[in-house]
Amino acid sequence: MLCRTGCRRRRSGPLVDDAVRFVSERVLADGPGLKPAYCITGDLVPEEQGLDLPGYPGGTVKTGNWVTDQFQLDAFGEALLLLAAAGRLDRLDTGHWRAVETLVESIEKRWREPDAGIWEIDDRRWAHSRLTCAAGLRRISEVAPARQGSQWQRLADQLVADTNSDCLHPDGRWQRAPDDPRIDAALLIPSIRGAIPATDPRSVATVAAVRTDLGRHGFVYRFQPGEQPLGEAEGAFLLCGFLMALADHQQGNNLAAVRWFERNRTACGPPVCSPRNSTSVSVSCAATFPKPSSMRCCSKRRMG
């Protein structure tokens, strides 16, 4: 079978094709209104409701998810990154390319809007969201026809320049939002995914800041929560530790990358258990598993 550019499609596992099909269908159905999460059937996730059941100590039992009412700009970029990966395997057909074009149009339409961000906190113009879209645009442009690819690269340049204008900290690193100068582990993602090079001074400074300000005992916290010391407001986030491993590896710090990876790998419990917290060297670790790619899939029967 031939792909859009005329090259013969390579073989890949069903996981890639199923993911591309699912995401493309959601993109074509919802366009600029793409949700960050869907049920595994493709239906919308029910609104969050509390249940009168005992839950984890200090927590409550809920069904549904409030994410169904959120706009997360980075979902467009993550979807493009998935489709770009499939494109490198020649797994995109005409319908998938329509989804790509819909995603690009959605970014063009909505990138100036505040969004809930990767951590689903409140609506701001998060640096991570804009830069993730830039990364997706750069990656998909590499497998797109030349004319479209150059247009999408220019849009990526515009997003990076805009983020640089209001989210570049005086220390030369990225900051969370125009009105929030704190460092955030999610800001490791743009260079990992290709929004800007790993050797860019902004990338180097961001990795150094995450390591110094958010790294403790081999684990990494999402961000500094207010005035409380790290570890008191919430646990370290294992996903952030793996991001740190990727970032250090990308910058040639291979020994440090192995240490980050092994420290966080050994703290992971079985995914079927998904423990919320564990304790190691007085560090509380949130062992949850956030959205792995473009959007999360939820069962209608799942209770959080």
Side-chain angles (χ1 to χ4, degrees):
M1 185 179 294
L2 298 181
C3 69
R4 187 186 189 191
T5 55
C7 51
R8 189 164 298 278
R9 300 181 72 180
R10 303 176 190 172
R11 292 183 179 274
S12 64
L15 180 61
V16 173
D17 291 337
D18 288 346
V20 168
R21 174 190 55 77
F22 183 91
V23 172
S24 295
E25 288 175 354
R26 304 283 67 73
V27 169
L28 291 173
D30 294 340
L34 184 70
K35 300 295 184 181
Y38 291 86
C39 295
I40 57 175
T41 59
D43 297 327
L44 295 179
V45 176
E47 293 186 0
E48 186 174 290
Q49 296 180 353
L51 298 177
D52 187 19
L53 293 171
Y56 188 87
T60 57
V61 178
K62 298 180 182 294
T63 183
N65 196 308
W66 68 351
V67 75
T68 195
D69 296 322
Q70 291 181 348
F71 165 52
Q72 292 185 24
L73 176 66
D74 66 308
F76 298 134
E78 292 283 6
L80 283 177
L81 286 163
L82 169 66
L83 295 175
R88 290 192 292 273
L89 296 172
D90 304 328
R91 303 304 300 175
L92 299 183
D93 61 24
T94 302
H96 301 145
W97 278 105
R98 285 201 304 270
V100 168
E101 292 165 353
T102 299
L103 287 165
V104 175
E105 292 168 1
S106 299
I107 292 173
E108 290 177 321
K109 180 178 180 179
R110 303 200 66 177
W111 71 265
R112 295 177 179 84
E113 299 178 28
D115 75 294
I118 187 173
W119 305 129
E120 305 171 11
I121 301 173
D122 51 21
D123 287 349
R124 295 186 186 180
R125 298 199 69 228
W126 299 104
H128 161 268
S129 297
R130 284 175 279 169
L131 293 173
T132 299
C133 286
L137 289 164
R138 294 205 194 285
R139 287 291 176 253
I140 197 64
S141 69
E142 295 171 355
V143 296
R147 182 176 179 181
Q148 283 182 310
S150 62
Q151 292 174 345
W152 298 345
Q153 284 282 7
R154 287 194 295 271
L155 179 57
D157 291 341
Q158 185 179 3
L159 267 66
V160 172
D162 182 76
T163 309
N164 192 81
S165 70
D166 61 11
C167 286
L168 186 65
H169 191 272
D171 291 342
R173 59 165 174 82
W174 297 118
Q175 64 181 48
R176 302 183 76 208
D179 58 347
D180 189 342
R182 291 176 292 174
I183 187 63
D184 191 312
L187 293 170
L188 296 171
I189 295 176
S191 63
I192 292 172
R193 300 290 178 83
I196 60 173
T199 54
D200 187 293
R202 294 166 294 187
S203 299
V204 175
T206 298
V207 172
V210 172
R211 181 187 298 112
T212 301
D213 297 348
L214 301 179
R216 296 292 186 276
H217 306 291
F219 298 109
V220 179
Y221 293 79
R222 297 188 300 168
F223 49 83
Q224 177 70 51
E227 300 299 325
Q228 294 176 285
L230 284 179
E232 289 192 7
E234 66 176 26
F237 219 67
L238 294 183
L239 175 62
C240 297
F242 291 120
L243 289 176
M244 193 67 204
L246 286 171
D248 259 332
H249 174 66
Q250 193 179 48
Q251 293 193 2
N253 306 321
N254 293 331
L255 181 58
V258 170
R259 287 173 174 167
W260 289 114
F261 180 85
E262 288 299 322
R263 182 62 161 149
N264 287 269
R265 181 187 64 82
T266 56
C268 290
V272 293
C273 296
S274 190
R276 177 67 188 180
N277 292 283
S278 61
T279 303
S280 177
V281 196
S282 300
V283 177
S284 177
C285 302
T288 53
F289 300 88
K291 55 186 177 185
S293 179
S294 59
M295 57 193 71
R296 289 173 291 183
C297 301
C298 305
S299 167
K300 282 186 175 180
R301 295 185 177 88
R302 181 178 179 182
M303 294 183 292

